[in-house]
Amino acid sequence: MSHRYLESFIPPKVSVDYVIDVKGLIKDMEKKLGAIFLEFQREENIKRNNQERREQYLLERLRKRRLTGQSYQSNVNNKNKTKELIPTLVQAPAPVPPSTSKEVLYSKMENTELFKDLEDFATHLESKNVTFVVLMNRLLVRELTELERVRILFHWISSQDLNAIHFSDNVLDDSPYGHLKSIREDRSTYASLFQRLCKAAGIHCKTILGYLKGVGYFPDHSFQKNPSEFVGEWNAVLILGEWRLINTDWGARHVIENSSNDKRVYKYNEHYFLTDPDKMITSHFPEAPEWQLLHRPKTLEQFENAVQNWSPFYDLKISHASHYNGLITTDIGGHVQIKLRVPSRDYKFKFKIRWRYEYEAETYVKGSGVLWNSDVIFDVYLPENNDFILTLYGGKYGETFVHKLCRYQVIG
């Protein structure tokens, strides 16, 4: 074939007809959407059926309790399910220290026998866009004791994931979701919502304003010189005629259960439910001293000086055996020895020190605590003459993680 022929060759035009089956595509799309909708309905039915079973189970347990004479009704007015409940005491008493500790209160089985059921029921309850009256009815509060009412409200509020809730534009301001929306928009607080929930449940509740040793706090912070920093709110509730302390904000937390898919699950911190006053005062200082609920209230200076303890410190029943102040100094060689009293030798301990003014840096020194008789001893040597933050950690053998116990600022 000659080059001239190739140059003059024009390939034939090929026409291709594309036929789109629009009806078929629509039908396939309808099938897929239908399958998705059916799966959604199936999941919703399972949730509804499971919640109905939880409700029936809880109601049956409450019925049996009534038959044994253990039931509690606040007063006859609370049988009207169209209204909010009325407290047993019309006038709340003045704040005084409770006569018993939380541990003693929990030691009576009838006080806590329904706690697990109340948690399971409250954390799975569908409560979107309902009024406070409807929420109280769904939570069965009229069938519960005062302690159980406060408990189920604590679980309900601490299980609400503000990042996952979609709030409609027409949500009522004075409704559970209206208050949650205000919290997310920084217009309200957990303490304010908890007080409103308690009012609807017929429980006397007080919102307390004061200082908190929370996120960002360091032991050298002066509340007296910086009165506008680390200010927060928590609650006191009246149970069986006695005031008890609660922080629903610190008690509410959602943690990552599986790092592979970042699944967030409901968790709560038991320590901040009915916290004993002598433990609460290490991190919460109310403006009004009577709300410390202590026989001998602490001064602001004493609060500033005290060591910052986290909840695992109390959960593990640990106490300080030396260095009761948060600010400590080393000897001439840059060494300090700190002791904690421990109830068991089945614990493990470690510590970390970081530079005070470069706390976010990855550079740190770490070491372990040594058990000796009933104490654990931390021998700490500073790498240089400077201010360091010393954090002590502890946990039980067999557990994967150790927990933050307490924190000091060490001056070299």
Side-chain angles (χ1 to χ4, degrees):
M1 186 179 292
S2 67
H3 292 291
R4 185 178 299 173
Y5 178 80
L6 289 173
E7 291 173 357
S8 62
F9 176 76
I10 300 174
K13 291 183 178 180
V14 179
S15 62
V16 179
D17 294 327
Y18 293 96
V19 179
I20 300 176
D21 185 1
V22 177
K23 291 184 178 179
L25 287 175
I26 293 175
K27 192 171 291 186
D28 288 342
M29 184 64 71
E30 288 176 345
K31 283 183 180 179
K32 290 178 181 178
L33 290 175
I36 293 172
F37 178 75
L38 288 175
E39 180 63 19
F40 173 77
Q41 286 290 92
R42 188 183 72 84
E43 291 178 357
E44 288 299 307
N45 288 334
I46 290 173
K47 289 180 183 177
R48 190 178 302 110
N49 291 336
N50 287 340
Q51 188 62 12
E52 287 175 359
R53 282 195 291 270
R54 292 187 190 96
E55 182 175 349
Q56 291 304 317
Y57 175 74
L58 183 56
L59 284 170
E60 179 60 19
R61 293 203 64 183
L62 292 168
R63 185 188 70 83
K64 289 180 179 179
R65 187 169 69 176
R66 285 196 300 273
L67 292 176
T68 58
Q70 298 179 34
S71 64
Y72 172 86
Q73 293 291 333
S74 59
N75 58 48
V76 69
N77 294 323
N78 288 334
K79 293 181 179 180
N80 187 344
K81 293 188 176 184
T82 63
K83 296 182 178 180
E84 296 180 7
L85 282 74
I86 299 172
T88 307
L89 297 174
V90 177
Q91 186 69 34
V96 295
S99 60
T100 59
S101 67
K102 174 180 175 176
E103 186 176 9
V104 172
L105 186 68
Y106 275 27
S107 66
K108 298 179 180 179
M109 192 182 71
E110 65 268 21
N111 287 340
T112 61
E113 61 180 350
L114 291 182
F115 271 19
K116 185 65 184 73
D117 298 321
L118 296 176
E119 176 188 352
D120 192 42
F121 184 69
T123 55
H124 292 90
L125 184 71
E126 173 57 46
S127 51
K128 186 176 181 179
N129 294 334
V130 299
T131 64
F132 281 103
V133 171
V134 172
L135 180 60
M136 294 306 107
N137 292 336
R138 291 188 181 180
L139 289 171
L140 308 176
V141 295
R142 285 174 174 80
E143 302 293 331
L144 305 178
T145 66
E146 287 181 341
L147 174 58
E148 289 166 351
R149 291 184 208 176
V150 176
R151 184 71 177 189
I152 203 168
L153 296 179
F154 176 79
H155 282 305
W156 181 87
I157 194 173
S158 60
S159 65
Q160 303 304 309
D161 188 350
L162 294 183
N163 295 316
I165 297 175
H166 173 71
F167 296 104
S168 61
D169 294 332
N170 60 348
V171 62
L172 296 174
D173 288 338
D174 188 29
S175 69
Y177 264 43
H179 282 258
L180 287 171
K181 184 181 180 184
S182 295
I183 294 172
R184 191 165 77 177
E185 295 172 350
D186 292 326
R187 296 185 291 110
S188 187
T189 63
Y190 277 97
S192 176
L193 171 55
F194 191 69
Q195 181 171 356
R196 182 65 183 87
L197 287 166
C198 286
K199 178 178 180 294
I203 299 292
H204 285 293
C205 180
K206 168 76 175 178
T207 296
I208 302 170
L209 181 67
Y211 294 123
L212 297 167
K213 292 183 179 180
V215 177
Y217 164 83
F218 288 104
D220 62 351
H221 176 78
S222 172
F223 293 98
Q224 299 178 71
K225 294 179 181 178
N226 303 280
S228 62
E229 297 180 7
F230 299 109
V231 175
E233 295 178 346
W234 60 99
N235 297 105
V237 291
L238 191 69
I239 299 175
L240 300 175
E242 296 191 321
W243 289 104
R244 304 276 178 173
L245 300 171
I246 291 180
N247 188 329
T248 52
D249 189 0
W250 288 20
R253 58 194 174 108
H254 293 81
V255 299
I256 304 300
E257 182 181 59
N258 188 337
S259 58
S260 63
N261 59 14
D262 285 351
K263 181 182 179 183
R264 294 171 69 85
V265 296
Y266 159 75
K267 295 287 183 181
Y268 68 95
N269 193 330
E270 171 66 39
H271 176 73
Y272 296 107
F273 180 77
L274 310 188
T275 315
D276 288 328
D278 61 330
K279 298 180 177 67
M280 198 71 147
I281 193 59
T282 63
S283 55
H284 296 61
F285 187 86
E287 278 188 347
E290 62 269 24
W291 285 109
Q292 293 182 28
L293 300 183
L294 294 171
H295 292 289
R296 298 178 64 182
K298 305 290 185 182
T299 65
L300 182 56
E301 184 179 5
Q302 289 174 314
F303 175 72
E304 284 184 356
N305 293 336
V307 182
Q308 179 187 14
N309 301 323
W310 282 282
S311 57
F313 182 89
Y314 301 108
D315 297 339
L316 296 173
K317 300 186 183 303
I318 294 171
S319 59
H320 294 284
S322 72
H323 298 86
Y324 300 93
N325 288 348
L327 282 173
I328 57 178
T329 57
T330 66
D331 61 22
I332 195 170
H335 167 254
V336 64
Q337 185 181 86
I338 297 174
K339 296 180 182 179
L340 298 179
R341 185 92 2 105
V342 295
S344 169
R345 297 185 63 83
D346 296 329
Y347 290 173
K348 54 185 177 181
F349 297 92
K350 70 175 186 178
F351 68 84
K352 286 184 182 180
I353 55 174
R354 296 177 184 262
W355 282 265
R356 162 65 177 90
Y357 299 104
E358 297 178 25
Y359 186 75
E360 298 303 325
E362 289 299 318
T363 305
Y364 58 83
V365 178
K366 63 181 180 179
S368 299
V370 178
L371 286 165
W372 182 261
N373 295 327
S374 59
D375 292 341
V376 57
I377 299 173
F378 300 88
D379 279 305
V380 181
Y381 293 87
L382 299 187
E384 61 182 58
N385 288 331
N386 212 324
D387 285 12
F388 289 83
I389 298 299
L390 167 64
T391 306
L392 307 185
Y393 299 79
K396 294 181 180 179
Y397 279 112
E399 292 182 346
T400 306
F401 302 103
V402 288
H403 311 279
K404 285 183 178 180
L405 299 177
C406 54
R407 181 161 63 180
Y408 299 86
Q409 183 165 332
V410 185
I411 303 170

